[in-house]
Amino acid sequence: MDVPLPTACVQAPDGTASPSDRGDGASASSKHLLEIRELAVRFRSDFGDRTVTDHISFHVDQGETLGIVGESGCGKSVTSLAIMRLLARNGRVEHGQVLFDGKDLLKMSRTSLDEVRGRDISMIFQDALASLDPVFTVGYQVTEAIRVHTEPDKQKARAIAVDMLRRVGLPDAEAAMKKYPFALSGGMRQRVMIAMALSCSPRLVIADEATTALDVTIQSQIMRMIEKIRVENNMSMILITHDIGLIAEMSDRVIVMYAGQIVEEADVFELFRNPLHPYTQLLIAATPGITDSEDRKLVAIRGSVPENYSDLTGCRFRDRCPFATEACAAPQAMREIRPGHFAKCRLAGTVTGKEGAK
Ligand SMILES: Nc1ncnc2c1ncn2[C@@H]1O[C@H](COP(=O)(O)OP(=O)(O)OP(=O)(O)O)[C@@H](O)[C@H]1O
Ligand SMILES: [Mg+2]
């Protein structure tokens, strides 16, 4: 690659591939577009090593949107960065597989991986200013991303870039092409990053808090626009956000993360109708709704996610759970409580967050 490209489309330093990699990521087969198997990510720090995602497994199918929710520090971003092999230098995948189309991204050579990233999988980050390169114009960055992955011809790539900027709602796309990122508003920059991430029609988009920094009106416009393009192109999406309402509106299936583990997984309707894990129940009960009646009481989940949870045994939520007993100190298995609805709690299905919140 001879030009510096924005982070939304290309690589960053990582340490997940070893020199002995076979190079093509050839691996066990998977019937899913993306399948994460037993992923464990470990970070080194001055305070010692710790595993922040604890052997998590999930999948995303073609055309499906998987929502990931959980409080701050639960491991949502680390999971998505590990998929893209964009972990910080002090992080590494210590166990697991990331199968995309049956090939393990963790075993791919850098060259093969660079082809997949941007073309097949792209990522929309929260902070567009940090992800766009300040010394290149918007036009240059979007055009180059297209040239590298889909259309080498400069004029054609430029035309696609202008069209994409229009589709993401930039009022004067031609003028925006000539601007540097700092000259655009936050909402416009976010649109540019989204245009870049979607310009190569990837099969999977990972949107990690893609609109959190924006005001609610722009947020909703941008999410609608992403959804339109996603549906038109039958793309899959991993939607990571704290916004439970957005998850409910846009996801087909949801996984709930707590302290580096998946604690619940279900179809979106099932999850919101019958949340089974006390953590999920409280998360939903803690979410305000615009149509709430005056007497609706919002619930606060006591305490916070433990800073260092890697050595905790048993249920990691138990110190905060209103239903916890001594039995919760034993390891909890993920169980299918209702068809397609899994929860990692021995009490799942027998309690409701409303009782605990009283
Ligand atoms: N480079 C790093 N070095 C050490 N620890 C890290 C590093 N990056 C992330 N972590 C730790 O991994 C855990 C999970 O972080 P992550 O960023 O995935 O949380 P998150 O669920 O995305 O939170 P948020 O909702 O705030 O974005 C946190 O405890 C965090 O401190
Ligand atoms: Mg995050």
Side-chain angles (χ1 to χ4, degrees):
M1 193 170 302
D2 56 357
V3 288
L5 286 178
T7 344
C9 285
V10 291
Q11 72 279 24
D14 68 67
T16 50
S18 77
S20 60
D21 289 343
R22 288 170 49 180
D24 62 355
S27 178
S29 67
S30 169
K31 59 185 167 51
H32 305 293
L33 178 66
L34 178 77
E35 185 175 0
I36 310 299
R37 292 185 184 163
E38 297 276 317
L39 183 72
V41 173
R42 195 163 178 81
F43 283 105
R44 245 187 0 256
S45 79
D46 294 344
F47 309 103
D49 288 11
R50 64 192 196 102
T51 301
V52 299
T53 63
D54 184 19
H55 299 82
I56 60 172
S57 301
F58 63 90
H59 68 270
V60 185
D61 287 324
Q62 186 72 50
E64 178 185 50
T65 295
L66 176 77
I68 305 185
V69 275
E71 285 165 289
S72 213
C74 285
K76 306 180 298 293
S77 295
V78 165
T79 302
S80 57
L81 292 171
I83 294 171
M84 295 291 272
R85 276 175 54 183
L86 293 172
L87 288 171
R89 284 188 186 280
N90 64 331
R92 70 185 171 87
V93 173
E94 63 173 1
H95 184 87
Q97 291 178 307
V98 175
L99 302 177
F100 182 78
D101 239 355
K103 288 190 174 167
D104 192 348
L105 299 186
L106 302 180
K107 289 191 177 146
M108 264 185 191
S109 67
R110 183 57 78 92
T111 316
S112 306
L113 183 67
D114 283 345
E115 282 172 19
V116 172
R117 287 194 297 214
R119 187 195 61 196
D120 292 320
I121 311 179
S122 63
M123 192 156 174
I124 306 169
F125 297 91
Q126 177 175 347
D127 186 353
L129 193 56
S131 305
L132 294 168
D133 197 318
V135 300
F136 292 99
T137 61
V138 161
Y140 178 83
Q141 297 188 54
V142 183
T143 305
E144 286 304 313
I146 296 166
R147 288 185 70 196
V148 167
H149 292 293
T150 44
E151 177 52 75
D153 182 90
K154 201 169 178 176
Q155 289 314 315
K156 287 184 187 160
R158 191 181 183 285
I160 297 171
V162 173
D163 179 53
M164 203 64 206
L165 290 177
R166 283 207 186 99
R167 288 177 74 191
V168 299
L170 278 182
D172 189 347
E174 281 289 355
M177 291 280 283
K178 299 189 186 102
K179 291 188 177 163
Y180 289 88
F182 66 82
L184 299 175
S185 71
M188 284 175 157
R189 279 196 294 267
Q190 200 66 21
R191 286 170 200 259
V192 170
M193 202 172 50
I194 291 165
M196 202 149 45
L198 302 183
S199 60
C200 307
S201 297
R203 296 172 68 193
L204 173 70
V205 178
I206 303 178
D208 187 353
E209 301 288 358
T211 55
T212 309
L214 306 173
D215 71 65
V216 281
T217 326
I218 304 282
Q219 233 183 59
S220 132
Q221 277 176 19
I222 290 187
M223 287 318 297
R224 271 172 221 280
M225 182 266 305
I226 294 177
E227 182 61 3
K228 186 165 176 286
I229 298 175
R230 190 193 71 75
V231 172
E232 279 168 9
N233 296 287
N234 194 28
M235 290 177 194
S236 307
M237 178 156 73
I238 297 180
L239 176 66
I240 299 174
T241 174
H242 294 121
D243 187 337
I244 298 265
L246 196 60
I247 289 280
E249 193 181 326
M250 296 195 51
S251 313
D252 297 304
R253 215 156 34 81
V254 183
I255 59 179
V256 182
M257 286 190 74
Y258 185 75
Q261 298 178 331
I262 294 175
V263 296
E264 185 155 2
E265 174 181 341
D267 159 89
V268 67
F269 294 108
E270 166 67 15
L271 187 98
F272 283 94
R273 243 184 250 132
N274 295 307
L276 297 175
H277 196 291
Y279 179 58
T280 314
Q281 294 171 348
L282 290 169
L283 263 189
I284 294 172
T287 305
I290 203 157
T291 54
D292 284 350
S293 60
E294 275 179 26
D295 55 355
R296 154 106 201 256
K297 281 198 189 128
L298 276 187
V299 168
I301 311 179
R302 66 182 184 206
S304 53
V305 182
E307 181 63 24
N308 190 351
Y309 44 72
S310 57
D311 295 329
L312 293 181
T313 52
C315 173
R316 293 183 173 180
F317 186 58
R318 71 178 186 278
D319 285 349
R320 305 174 68 193
C321 179
F323 309 106
T325 65
E326 280 177 13
C328 302
Q332 308 288 309
M334 191 73 155
R335 294 180 296 134
E336 187 169 14
I337 316 280
R338 295 159 58 96
H341 191 159
F342 300 83
K344 196 181 178 70
C345 170
R346 65 183 188 87
L347 297 169
T350 64
V351 293
T352 72
K354 281 184 195 140
E355 298 159 26
K358 276 178 191 160

